[in-house]
Amino acid sequence: MMKKRVLLAEDDPDTRFLLSLVLAEQGYDVAAARDGVEALALAEQEAPDLIVMDQMMPRMTGSDCVTRMRAHPRLGGVPVVMVTAAAGLVRGGEQLSFDAVVEKPVELDGFVRTVRTLCPPGAERRVAKAPHGVNRRRTV
């Protein structure tokens, strides 16, 4: 069985390391990005089952990145957890297509519950053929 893949976009190296470690301990395969531009590129390559996105990042904010992902044919339906110190500014997450908002500093038990609710680690990844007959794994 393939592990569920989580894309983690976080510019702070300590937070990125901690959340990556927590997600890996929960049974997820983690791909980590340092900013929104890198996250968008990784999302297109990695076909994540869940995206954990920091809001305040260099080069592209989490909101801008999620907006672009929602317009992407393969990424539009992937659940997104916004992680931010400015939770009050993104509380209208449903307008920006966030599935959940986790406030910093991150309370790890609550973070894990949120992630597991949106993307249970034990369920198998669904695999589909890429467009134009290219045989490539991706989440649908």
Side-chain angles (χ1 to χ4, degrees):
M1 173 178 8
M2 293 175 58
K3 289 182 178 182
K4 292 280 184 98
R5 178 155 302 142
V6 175
L7 170 61
L8 169 64
E10 170 61 60
D11 63 318
D12 178 70
D14 294 333
T15 304
R16 187 172 57 245
F17 174 78
L18 177 63
L19 295 181
S20 292
L21 184 64
V22 167
L23 290 165
E25 286 176 348
Q26 293 297 314
Y28 296 98
D29 181 24
V30 181
R34 295 173 292 209
D35 60 45
V37 172
E38 194 174 296
L40 190 57
L42 266 176
E44 291 172 346
Q45 290 173 0
E46 299 291 328
D49 296 293
L50 177 76
I51 299 164
V52 176
M53 180 76 62
D54 183 20
Q55 170 58 15
M56 308 288 252
M57 293 185 293
R59 299 200 304 162
M60 183 186 301
T61 67
S63 296
D64 290 342
C65 187
V66 171
T67 297
R68 290 185 183 195
M69 287 179 179
R70 290 296 183 224
H72 192 283
R74 291 187 306 159
L75 302 173
V78 177
V80 177
V81 177
M82 180 61 68
V83 179
T84 182
L89 299 177
V90 296
R91 278 292 176 217
E94 60 280 352
Q95 296 171 318
L96 297 170
S97 300
F98 307 142
D99 296 280
V101 176
V102 172
E103 196 164 359
K104 287 182 177 179
V106 176
E107 191 274 312
L108 293 177
D109 289 337
F111 172 73
V112 167
R113 278 193 303 276
T114 298
V115 167
R116 291 175 70 88
T117 297
L118 292 172
C119 183
E124 285 195 45
R125 297 187 77 195
R126 291 181 289 164
V127 178
K129 286 186 178 178
H132 309 296
V134 176
N135 216 357
R136 168 168 59 148
R137 293 180 164 277
R138 73 175 181 93
T139 302
V140 290

